[in-house]
């Protein structure tokens, strides 16, 4: 399953960043595909990006809401929230595990055999909800300047994906931009370096602690159409699922956890008893596998 | 009987968000929001990438 997931991650990254003419044009893609929502966190100012980033788009719409209302336009962000809401309500946080380019980058960094691997302190996982509510929705909407315009707080002050995928490439493509560099850029560069370094020793630290998109999708993990479910009478509570989980959770103890990115490693690599199943609309999509193992052990006992 | 009620609740909990977000999505299209999103996405957001 892991090679398949990696292949899907790479394909998704190439599709959402498929504008390979940018070295010639020295600009970002400006075609019609940018009306399509990127399912994962992918900066739309990245020169290769072919889709729009919902986190960036929602902030842009909210920061200019007063202006758009004055002109008679009702741009509340419902198209953007509707798009990611449909993705989340259908498949929960599966996007994080299978389609997110920044998730892929973190996973590759974690594979480097450097430093002692460690887990994040649990309370830090709540920071992402703070980011979603304040930095993505409330601050851009409420903290405005004298002309009634807000700022894209998350993109401007935090998002390391924007610096890595867009800030640095744009500085290379358009050298004249270097004259405008200041504290803002160095702050973002610092965040990027923190998350890159952190990703080497901790699995997906940005997804666990800071990603507002993951926080949003995670809200649907319990009720999404596609989800992982526990077959309780097959679970022996051996804890094997926790050992392979990149998000550091024990599936049988927190079924439907907003932390689960549905990478399915627990289901395919760890559980010998078929206790974890992928379901779609309540119907199991997993082939019955190794179920007899528990029966065999129970018989032996 | 109890199980059936629970299943209905689960199905509702799955379907209601889908319809709510579909309605939001369609409302956004009706309001012309995709065009605004497209215009934003065509421009480099210097603020967003830490430059500017």
């Amino acid at each position: 399953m892991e090679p398949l997931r990696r292949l899907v991650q790479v394909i998704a990254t190439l599709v959402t960043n498929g504008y390979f003419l940018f070295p010639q044009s020295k600009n970002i893609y400006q075609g019609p595909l940018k009306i399509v929502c990127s399912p994962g966190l992918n900066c739309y100012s990245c020169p290769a990006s072919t889709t729009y980033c919902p986190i960036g788009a929602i902030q842009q719409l909210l920061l200019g809401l007063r202006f758009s209302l004055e002109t008679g336009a009702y741009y509340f962000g419902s198209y953007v929230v509707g798009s990611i809401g449909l993705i989340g309500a259908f498949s929960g946080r599966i996007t994080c595990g299978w389609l997110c380019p920044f998730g892929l980058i973190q996973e590759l960094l974690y594979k480097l055999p450097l430093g002692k691997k460690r887990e994040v302190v649990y309370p830090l996982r709540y920071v992402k909800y703070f980011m979603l509510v304040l930095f993505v929705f409330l601050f851009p909407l409420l903290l405005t300047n004298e002309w009634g315009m807000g700022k894209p707080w998350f993109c401007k002050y935090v998002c390391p994906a924007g610096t890595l995928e867009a800030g640095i490439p744009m500085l290379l493509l358009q050298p004249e931009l270097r004259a405008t560099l200041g504290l803002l850029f160095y702050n973002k560069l610092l965040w990027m370096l923190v998350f890159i370094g952190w990703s080497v020793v901790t699995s997906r630290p940005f997804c666990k602690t800071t990603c507002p998109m993951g926080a949003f999708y995670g809200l649907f993990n319990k009720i999404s159409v596609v989800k992982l479910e526990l077959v309780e009478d097959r679970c022996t509570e051996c804890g094997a699922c926790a050992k392979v989980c990149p998000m550091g959770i024990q599936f049988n103890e927190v079924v439907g956890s907003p932390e689960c990115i549905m990478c399915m490693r627990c289901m395919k690599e760890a559980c010998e008893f078929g206790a974890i199943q992928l379901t779609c609309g309540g119907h199991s999509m997993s082939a019955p596998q190794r179920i007899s193992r528990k029966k065999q052990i129970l018989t032996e006992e | 009987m109890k199980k059936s009620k629970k299943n209905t609740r689960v199905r509702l909990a799955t379907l209601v968000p889908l319809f709510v977000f579909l309605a939001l999505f369609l409302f956004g299209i009706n309001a012309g929001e995709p065009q605004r999103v497209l215009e934003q996405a065509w421009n480099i957001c210097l603020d967003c990438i830490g430059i500017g």
Side-chain angles (χ1 to χ4, degrees):
Chain A
M1 186 61 100
E2 270 304 275
L4 173 67
R5 191 171 71 90
R6 189 69 76 226
L7 180 68
V8 173
Q9 283 179 308
V10 170
I11 291 172
T13 302
L14 290 176
V15 168
T16 51
N17 293 286
Y19 178 62
F20 302 118
L21 293 176
F22 70 86
Q24 283 173 320
S25 70
K26 298 202 181 298
N27 207 346
I28 61 173
Y29 169 71
Q30 293 175 318
L33 279 177
K34 275 217 164 155
I35 211 164
V36 178
C37 173
S38 166
L41 193 77
N42 192 52
C43 185
Y44 60 3
S45 290
C46 168
S49 174
T50 52
T51 50
Y52 79 83
C53 169
I55 295 297
I58 190 79
Q59 290 171 86
Q60 290 292 340
L61 290 169
L62 291 177
L63 69 84
L65 183 62
R66 286 167 186 80
F67 182 72
S68 62
L69 285 177
E70 277 172 19
T71 58
Y74 298 98
Y75 301 147
F76 295 105
S78 56
Y79 171 69
V80 182
V81 174
S83 301
I84 54 172
L86 282 172
I87 296 170
F90 183 76
S91 55
R93 223 178 151 178
I94 203 167
T95 302
C96 304
W98 289 73
L99 302 177
C100 180
F102 202 62
L104 172 65
I105 291 168
Q106 289 173 87
E107 283 188 6
L108 296 178
L109 286 168
Y110 189 63
K111 280 192 176 292
L112 296 174
L114 297 169
K116 190 183 168 198
K117 306 294 181 189
R118 59 193 74 210
E119 193 47 78
V120 298
V121 185
Y122 203 89
L124 281 179
R125 292 179 187 248
Y126 297 109
V127 173
K128 58 181 174 287
Y129 300 105
F130 170 84
M131 289 291 169
L132 176 66
V133 175
L134 295 182
F135 277 56
V136 175
F137 285 98
L138 295 184
F139 287 173
L141 181 66
L142 301 176
L143 303 181
T144 55
N145 61 16
E146 62 266 41
W147 298 287
M149 294 290 280
K151 292 177 194 169
W153 280 71
F154 182 76
C155 295
K156 187 165 183 168
Y157 298 114
V158 183
C159 186
T163 317
L164 184 67
E165 297 170 3
I168 294 171
M170 287 314 297
L171 286 173
L172 295 173
L173 285 176
Q174 298 185 5
E176 65 275 12
L177 288 176
R178 291 176 203 168
T180 62
L181 292 187
L183 254 184
L184 187 65
F185 181 75
Y186 295 114
N187 164 63
K188 291 254 300 178
L189 193 64
L190 179 69
W191 277 113
M192 188 197 83
L193 293 173
V194 164
F195 280 109
I196 285 179
W198 199 359
S199 298
V200 175
V201 292
T202 298
S203 171
R204 287 180 170 255
F206 181 75
C207 311
K208 285 174 184 165
T209 64
T210 315
C211 184
M213 222 156 149
F216 181 79
Y217 286 147
L219 300 175
F220 301 97
N221 267 0
K222 266 198 169 78
I223 55 169
S224 56
V225 178
V226 176
K227 60 185 169 187
L228 286 179
E229 284 188 9
L230 182 73
V231 185
E232 282 181 19
D233 57 352
R234 289 182 195 163
C235 179
T236 59
E237 299 178 13
C238 62
C241 48
K243 287 179 189 145
V244 297
C245 181
M247 295 301 281
I249 56 171
Q250 184 163 338
F251 185 79
N252 65 306
E253 288 182 354
V254 283
V255 181
S257 163
E259 296 298 313
C260 175
I261 56 168
M262 287 189 246
C263 64
M264 299 178 213
R265 287 186 65 183
C266 53
M267 182 178 89
K268 287 289 177 188
E269 289 176 25
C271 187
E272 292 190 31
F273 309 112
I276 302 170
Q277 287 191 342
L278 181 69
T279 64
C280 180
H283 302 285
S284 174
M285 293 169 77
S286 317
Q289 48 161 358
R290 291 175 289 178
I291 296 165
S292 58
R293 174 100 171 98
K294 183 181 180 186
K295 278 185 190 164
Q296 189 187 335
I297 289 172
L298 290 175
T299 317
E300 282 168 10
E301 281 173 1
Chain B
M1 191 69 161
K2 246 184 190 176
K3 200 176 175 184
S4 154
K5 261 187 183 175
K6 195 183 167 192
N7 281 346
T8 312
R9 266 207 308 272
V10 169
R11 276 194 206 117
L12 270 179
T14 303
L15 290 176
V16 167
L18 271 176
F19 284 114
V20 168
F21 287 114
L22 182 64
L24 272 176
F25 179 75
L26 295 175
F27 175 80
I29 290 176
N30 190 46
E33 213 176 273
Q35 190 55 39
R36 180 79 192 104
V37 170
L38 199 57
E39 286 163 11
Q40 288 169 351
W42 280 345
N43 294 310
I44 301 167
C45 172
L46 293 178
D47 258 0
C48 302
I49 60 179
I51 305 166

